[in-house]
Amino acid sequence: VGEEEEDGEEEEDSEEGEEDEDGEEETGWFLQWVASPRAETVALASYMCVLLHHQSMEFSRALPYLRRFPRLRLGLSPAVWRLARDEDPAAGGQGAGGQRTGGRGAGWQRTGRKGAAEEVSSLDAGAVRRYAHVIPTELLDHLQAAFSIDSPFWKESDYAARGYFSFWGDAAKPPRNCVEALAHHLLPLTGCADKVVGYEWWVHTRAEGRSIGHQMHFDTEEASLRTGKVIHPLVSSVTYLNGSPSLADPTLVLDQRVHDASCSTAWVSHPSVGSTLFFPGDRLHCVIPRPPPPAAA
């Protein structure tokens, strides 16, 4: 009887030990070195597959990978992706879910169920509009030099590792640098110059044909978000200093505000050196990554 009890105790101890080891695998080194890295890499690989299939206009092939992100409910229309791919407004005619029309300056396109773009005042702060060759040559030269790929700005601002950051300028004070000179030059085109007290500015750079764009976002006053308020600028703008319309990533503006569930109209602006895009400051927008250029034969 004593031996049987001892054997039983040994078996129970052995089973408990195995359970402890399994538990350590689930919460210890296995979780840290195998399970967690695998989950991260699968998610990233799935995201890249979704992106590549959309860039290739193979939308149905992206669906199996999209299902791995159960919280995603809405996506961009195929018509928008086609506009992002084709920098020539005359290249495609009608796209799924909407129409495309020409606009101000090369590379300006719109899609939506509302049909052709209505003619708007050139100083309408509530309209999405773009002006070509709006920057004086001397000022454009200064800006291109200040933010060239080998400019000290990127290193001194720790751009690669710092995360998103911006600068503030007082509209009532004279400009102190070329960016503030640009802001003062563009101010009359905003359509609301008499209401502007200041401007926030930042600069981004993306590799042509091999970037992942810039995620969708609303321009907001960040400090107010902590209090539960959402405050937008009167008007937002994008100025293109460099980039080829056939290679650089286009800007997408959606006719969608914070509390809108969806939208039916979008504007796509392909980079054109020296042009500036204006849109209402409460609209959802992003940068759509263009597909990589074809490999050389």
Side-chain angles (χ1 to χ4, degrees):
V1 173
E3 290 179 356
E4 289 178 356
E5 289 178 352
E6 288 177 1
D7 290 341
E9 289 176 359
E10 288 179 359
E11 290 177 0
E12 290 176 0
D13 291 341
S14 176
E15 291 174 358
E16 290 176 358
E18 290 177 359
E19 290 176 358
D20 290 341
E21 289 177 3
D22 291 341
E24 287 180 3
E25 282 192 353
E26 293 178 359
T27 60
W29 70 268
F30 185 83
L31 179 65
Q32 180 178 358
W33 296 102
V34 179
S36 293
R38 182 183 184 279
E40 293 176 4
T41 53
V42 168
L44 178 59
S46 299
Y47 168 80
M48 295 305 297
C49 286
V50 170
L51 176 58
L52 288 171
H53 284 311
H54 278 76
Q55 289 177 318
S56 303
M57 308 297 128
E58 299 173 334
F59 306 107
S60 61
R61 296 186 65 181
L63 292 177
Y65 302 100
L66 278 171
R67 294 190 184 102
R68 295 178 178 176
F69 302 95
R71 296 179 63 183
L72 293 181
R73 298 181 298 107
L74 300 174
L76 293 177
S77 164
V80 173
W81 285 97
R82 293 188 182 99
L83 287 176
R85 179 192 60 182
D86 301 325
E87 74 277 6
D88 181 4
Q94 292 193 359
Q99 298 178 333
R100 63 177 61 178
T101 67
R104 291 179 173 81
W108 170 254
Q109 305 172 55
R110 164 180 169 158
T111 180
R113 289 196 294 270
K114 295 180 181 178
E118 299 176 359
E119 188 63 29
V120 296
S121 168
S122 60
L123 296 180
D124 184 357
V128 180
R129 60 206 193 281
R130 195 176 87 169
Y131 302 93
H133 312 297
V134 72
I135 308 174
T137 301
E138 184 177 358
L139 178 56
L140 180 60
D141 290 342
H142 280 293
L143 289 163
Q144 289 175 332
F147 302 109
S148 64
I149 195 64
D150 55 353
S151 165
F153 171 83
W154 309 108
K155 182 178 180 180
E156 293 178 4
S157 64
D158 195 22
Y159 176 82
R162 182 177 176 180
Y164 299 126
F165 60 93
S166 62
F167 304 90
W168 174 259
D170 190 332
K173 295 182 179 180
R176 300 166 298 177
N177 53 56
C178 60
V179 177
E180 294 186 355
L182 173 66
H184 281 256
H185 176 74
L186 296 176
L187 192 59
L189 298 178
T190 62
C192 54
D194 58 327
K195 300 178 182 179
V196 175
V197 297
Y199 46 88
E200 183 184 14
W201 66 270
W202 57 92
V203 186
H204 285 305
T205 181
R206 296 289 186 271
E208 289 187 337
R210 49 191 175 92
S211 85
I212 58 172
H214 193 96
Q215 68 265 37
M216 285 189 177
H217 65 283
F218 293 96
D219 290 341
T220 59
E221 200 287 302
E222 302 291 339
S224 65
L225 294 177
R226 302 187 186 97
T227 66
K229 296 180 180 179
V230 181
I231 300 177
H232 303 285
L234 292 171
V235 64
S236 294
S237 66
V238 179
T239 297
Y240 304 101
L241 301 181
N242 278 300
S244 164
S246 62
L247 293 176
D249 298 336
T251 307
L252 169 68
V253 179
L254 299 176
D255 190 19
Q256 183 170 350
R257 301 172 180 85
V258 169
H259 299 294
D260 295 336
S262 61
C263 71
S264 59
T265 305
W267 294 263
V268 174
S269 173
H270 290 266
S272 175
V273 176
S275 65
T276 296
L277 170 71
F278 290 95
F279 55 94
D282 60 353
R283 297 306 197 274
L284 184 63
H285 58 284
C286 68
V287 175
I288 301 183
R290 287 182 59 86

